Amino acid sequence: MTTPRTEQEIRAVVRETALRIFELEPEELADETDFETAGGDSLLRLELVAALRDRLGVEYSVADETEMTSVKAAVEVTRRALGA
């Protein structure tokens, strides 16, 4: 898979992965929805980070991981980590 570089491409990957891991329907997860509010917990968030790391080949710091509280935040962190 080609690593996504645009914000739109990254958002699509993050959103798809978050929907799968948190077992949500698309209408249940807006970009700004806090993952915990959507029923996630810290373990599921770590699972999301691991899945994104595997899928995108991105290395996240511990600070990055704690910052990923929504799709919007995860996209910003991922863009920064990719240098995009």
Side-chain angles (χ1 to χ4, degrees):
M1 172 182 174
T2 302
T3 302
R5 292 289 175 189
T6 69
E7 184 174 339
Q8 184 177 3
E9 291 171 334
I10 294 168
R11 179 176 286 109
V13 170
V14 169
R15 185 170 172 72
E16 173 190 316
T17 306
L19 288 171
R20 180 178 48 80
I21 288 173
F22 296 121
E23 298 180 355
L24 298 170
E25 296 298 322
E27 64 273 6
E28 296 176 293
L29 188 65
D31 283 357
E32 296 81 17
T33 302
D34 186 272
F35 291 144
E36 286 188 24
T37 302
D41 59 22
S42 58
L43 292 177
L44 286 175
R45 191 172 69 221
L46 288 176
E47 188 176 332
L48 172 67
V49 170
L52 291 173
R53 181 180 294 125
D54 290 345
R55 183 155 181 201
L56 300 174
V58 176
E59 288 302 320
Y60 297 106
S61 69
V62 173
D64 290 340
E65 294 173 6
T66 59
E67 193 178 327
M68 289 185 176
T69 57
S70 67
V71 170
K72 182 178 180 178
V75 168
E76 291 172 11
V77 169
T78 301
R79 287 187 71 210
R80 190 172 58 233
L82 288 170

